[in-house]
Amino acid sequence: MAERVVGIMGAMPEEVGEVVHLLTDKQEFSMGMRTYYLGKINGVKAVVVFSRWGKVAAATTATALVLKFGVTEIIFTGVAGAINSELSIGDVVVSQRLIQHDLDGRPLMPRYEVPLLGIKYIEATSELQKVTSSAVSALLEKGHLQAVIAPEVLKQFGIEDPKMVQGDIASGDKFFSKTEEKEALLENLPTIQCVEMEGAAVAQVCYEYGVSFVIIRTISDTADEKSHIDFPAFIEKVSNKYSVEMVKGILG
Ligand code: ADE
């Protein structure tokens, strides 16, 4: 069996920076405007990289992880806008299925269908979903989260009792900041929990190369008129810490 090599992709440079600190025997490799950090986390071989934003950036980075660094699984950690109205800032979505909400080949094929794959949704690897859900639940337990993020910061973002949900995630090259767009998405894709800009691209690459994957998204905003206000401060103060703890838990 191939040796386990875990690719860890982050959606923000700050998040990757914190995860890079977990690497032992660290080496750096720059290629195609990305820096790949190689080493071990808890004795497991890992490659950590900031993918840049959007589906193309995510797909090229995931492909490099597979072909150049031989990763056997990819964990993507980042933030997302809430589509399900029951999600609050600070909650975490662990991917079940990924779909590209901006993929529309009609009338040649049904809306959302990935050309030539003949499917709309790509399912995350069930074993990784399980391990990740346990790690996220452990992080969100009262006491653990408070030990990692200062109470005044949690209060600033109204994070009281954050929850983990497993569900579907929609990706596309668009930042959602209008209620009407969010509602339109939900009408067409009623099972979607949150939106982001990379996950389904990573899913497609992993599907095509037979690599395991999971996407983890911390809710940073409500994907409506308030989303741009919530976003930068949340990344700086909260999601970095979540990512580090989740990676430690998954590779523990
Ligand atoms: N990532 C975080 N928030 C987002 C939003 N509102 N739209 C798309 N991607 C996001």
Side-chain angles (χ1 to χ4, degrees):
M1 206 168 100
E3 185 187 9
R4 186 180 185 199
V5 184
V6 181
I8 301 169
M9 297 174 65
M12 300 305 275
E14 299 86 348
E15 280 176 333
V16 167
E18 298 257 339
V19 176
V20 164
H21 289 139
L22 298 175
L23 288 169
T24 54
D25 309 326
K26 192 176 70 185
Q27 290 180 352
E28 270 182 52
F29 189 91
S30 291
M31 182 178 67
M33 297 188 178
R34 317 280 192 275
T35 304
Y36 296 82
Y37 298 91
L38 287 69
K40 286 190 172 177
I41 299 176
N42 291 337
V44 178
K45 269 195 178 175
V47 186
V48 183
V49 60
F50 162 49
S51 64
R52 300 182 167 221
W53 302 292
K55 292 195 303 178
V56 173
T60 57
T61 310
T63 306
L65 282 172
V66 174
L67 296 184
K68 175 84 185 165
F69 300 103
V71 303
T72 53
E73 62 198 82
I74 293 183
I75 298 166
F76 190 109
T77 154
V79 292
I83 294 297
N84 177 347
S85 59
E86 294 188 357
L87 287 174
S88 309
I89 290 177
D91 292 349
V92 178
V93 180
V94 175
S95 64
Q96 278 178 340
R97 301 181 303 167
L98 284 296
I99 188 167
Q100 298 178 49
H101 64 69
D102 56 355
L103 185 45
D104 189 353
R106 289 175 297 176
L108 304 182
M109 59 195 73
R111 190 172 185 187
Y112 309 120
E113 185 172 297
V114 184
L116 304 182
L117 294 188
I119 49 174
K120 297 179 182 176
Y121 292 92
I122 297 178
E123 177 104 31
T125 311
S126 60
E127 196 49 41
L128 270 179
Q129 287 189 46
K130 266 191 229 143
V131 176
T132 303
S133 306
S134 308
V136 173
S137 301
L139 164 67
L140 299 182
E141 264 168 30
K142 268 224 154 50
H144 189 167
L145 194 62
Q146 281 71 7
V148 177
I149 301 174
E152 60 272 19
V153 173
L154 293 173
K155 201 166 167 207
Q156 176 189 348
F157 292 98
I159 302 174
E160 274 176 23
D161 192 10
K163 58 186 175 297
M164 185 272 302
V165 301
Q166 285 182 264
D168 295 344
I169 298 177
S171 316
D173 289 320
K174 170 183 180 56
F175 188 85
F176 277 71
S177 60
K178 292 199 181 94
T179 304
E180 70 211 49
E181 290 169 350
K182 173 176 169 170
E183 283 170 356
L185 180 111
L186 198 53
E187 206 173 295
N188 290 320
L189 297 169
T191 67
I192 295 303
Q193 302 295 318
C194 63
V195 274
E196 39 87 311
M197 299 174 68
E198 296 85 15
V202 173
Q204 186 175 336
V205 170
C206 288
Y207 180 89
E208 291 178 349
Y209 283 98
V211 166
S212 306
F213 79 95
V214 70
I215 311 293
I216 315 165
R217 291 291 182 171
T218 304
I219 300 300
S220 57
D221 59 82
T222 41
D224 55 17
E225 286 70 12
K226 296 196 295 292
S227 59
H228 64 290
I229 304 170
D230 302 334
F231 195 67
F234 183 82
I235 307 286
E236 189 198 316
K237 295 183 178 169
V238 180
S239 67
N240 303 346
K241 312 275 187 274
Y242 269 58
S243 292
V244 171
E245 293 305 309
M246 291 186 296
V247 168
K248 280 204 272 192
I250 296 166
L251 300 189

